[in-house]
Amino acid sequence: TREAITCPVTVLGSYQKPENGQQGLLCLLDETGQPQKMLEMLTPAGMVHSSKGIFVATPSSIHEIGPDLSVKRRDAVSLPLFNLLHSLSRTQRGYLAASTGTDTIIEFDEAGHQLWSWCALDHGFTLTPTGEQRELDLSADHRQTKYGTLTQTTHINSAAELPDSTILASLFHQGMVIAIDRASGDWHTVLEGLDHPHAIRMLDAHHITLAETVRGRALMVSLDED
């Protein structure tokens, strides 16, 4: 039988994020793990190489940072659907971000042009954890709106592209990892019964890693059916 999934942070939850975000740090470490330099940044979540340095996600925009933590470009990419960005990864065409606040995955290029998007609300995930119907205008600018965890239907928090262009995504509220067909947007379940998953990473063409947050486990998963 499936184990009960409980998480105090989610069960108690929040309907609205605080007006002032949580300040965080980007750290440059030496080979012993000691910090050599630090850069203050609002709630950084997700890093990936860019052509000139590193893209770092903050709640509503992506900054480009040099290897020495110098700021190359502030708000290098900022799109209307960006809200509580939780992850960044590379794709064959550009970059992929999980926009948790809008229950959306967004692909964009280095110039900041949106290439593709997928919204959970358009594909069957319409109810919040408390059973409320979520309505969201996807043509609006969501960058400055504060959406609490319990107002989101999936709290989608990471995404990665497979070699065949299928997109994997972790759904925090559902305890699932799903695979999304780019062309149709249709999805199917890859893993379920997880306790609030995060952080999908491609290990190679046949394996991924992810975090099962509440159970405190790091998982390596084979994508081969056999």
Side-chain angles (χ1 to χ4, degrees), residues 60 64 92 99-101 118 148-149 156 163 203 212:
S60 61
E64 190 169 36
Q92 297 172 58
S99 180
T100 301
W118 183 89
T149 305
I156 192 167
L203 193 60
E212 193 177 17

Side-chain angles (χ1 to χ4, degrees), residues 76-94:
V77 182
S78 185
L79 296 169
L81 281 173
F82 281 4
N83 188 287
L84 295 176
L85 297 184
H86 268 53
S87 76
L88 285 176
S89 62
R90 293 297 301 264
T91 68
Q92 297 172 58
R93 302 189 301 176

Side-chain angles (χ1 to χ4, degrees), residues 147-170:
Y147 294 121
T149 305
L150 292 180
T151 70
Q152 303 155 19
T153 68
T154 62
H155 195 77
I156 192 167
N157 55 41
S158 67
E161 183 188 55
L162 296 177
D164 66 359
S165 296
T166 299
I167 303 297
L168 295 181
S170 54

Side-chain angles (χ1 to χ4, degrees), residues 7-216:
C7 175
V9 173
T10 303
V11 174
L12 298 176
S14 62
Y15 289 98
Q16 185 175 1
K17 294 295 183 183
E19 287 303 314
N20 297 317
Q22 186 173 359
Q23 197 71 21
L25 290 173
L26 194 64
C27 297
L28 180 64
L29 307 179
D30 64 18
E31 62 275 7
T32 68
Q34 295 300 308
Q36 300 301 299
K37 188 176 181 181
M38 293 182 288
L39 176 66
E40 285 195 355
M41 189 171 290
L42 182 65
T43 320
M47 296 185 292
V48 69
H49 284 292
S50 67
S51 63
K52 299 179 181 178
I54 301 168
F55 277 151
V56 181
T58 61
S60 61
S61 66
I62 294 168
H63 306 308
E64 190 169 36
I65 307 300
D68 60 352
L69 297 193
S70 60
V71 179
K72 299 293 186 183
R73 288 188 296 161
R74 292 191 180 275
D75 301 319
V77 182
S78 185
L79 296 169
L81 281 173
F82 281 4
N83 188 287
L84 295 176
L85 297 184
H86 268 53
S87 76
L88 285 176
S89 62
R90 293 297 301 264
T91 68
Q92 297 172 58
R93 302 189 301 176
Y95 303 85
L96 206 60
S99 180
T100 301
T102 55
D103 288 306
T104 303
I105 304 168
I106 301 148
E107 184 183 29
F108 57 91
D109 63 19
E110 192 141 337
H113 302 122
Q114 183 170 308
L115 304 175
W116 177 84
S117 67
W118 183 89
C119 183
L121 278 70
D122 292 336
H123 296 279
F125 298 99
T126 60
L127 297 180
T128 70
T130 58
E132 299 293 323
Q133 188 81 23
R134 187 177 195 189
E135 303 290 342
L136 199 68
D137 180 1
L138 297 179
S139 65
D141 190 330
H142 297 273
R143 283 172 285 195
Q144 301 306 316
T145 305
K146 308 295 183 181
Y147 294 121
T149 305
L150 292 180
T151 70
Q152 303 155 19
T153 68
T154 62
H155 195 77
I156 192 167
N157 55 41
S158 67
E161 183 188 55
L162 296 177
D164 66 359
S165 296
T166 299
I167 303 297
L168 295 181
S170 54
L171 309 186
F172 182 82
H173 288 327
Q174 286 77 18
M176 294 166 54
V177 172
I178 62 172
I180 302 166
D181 177 75
R182 274 182 175 274
S184 66
D186 294 341
W187 60 273
H188 66 269
T189 303
V190 175
L191 289 171
E192 61 184 350
L194 300 172
D195 211 332
H196 300 85
H198 276 95
I200 294 172
R201 297 287 186 272
M202 295 300 303
L203 193 60
D204 57 36
H206 305 282
H207 300 85
I208 62 171
T209 61
L210 71 151
E212 193 177 17
T213 309
V214 177
R215 293 179 182 137

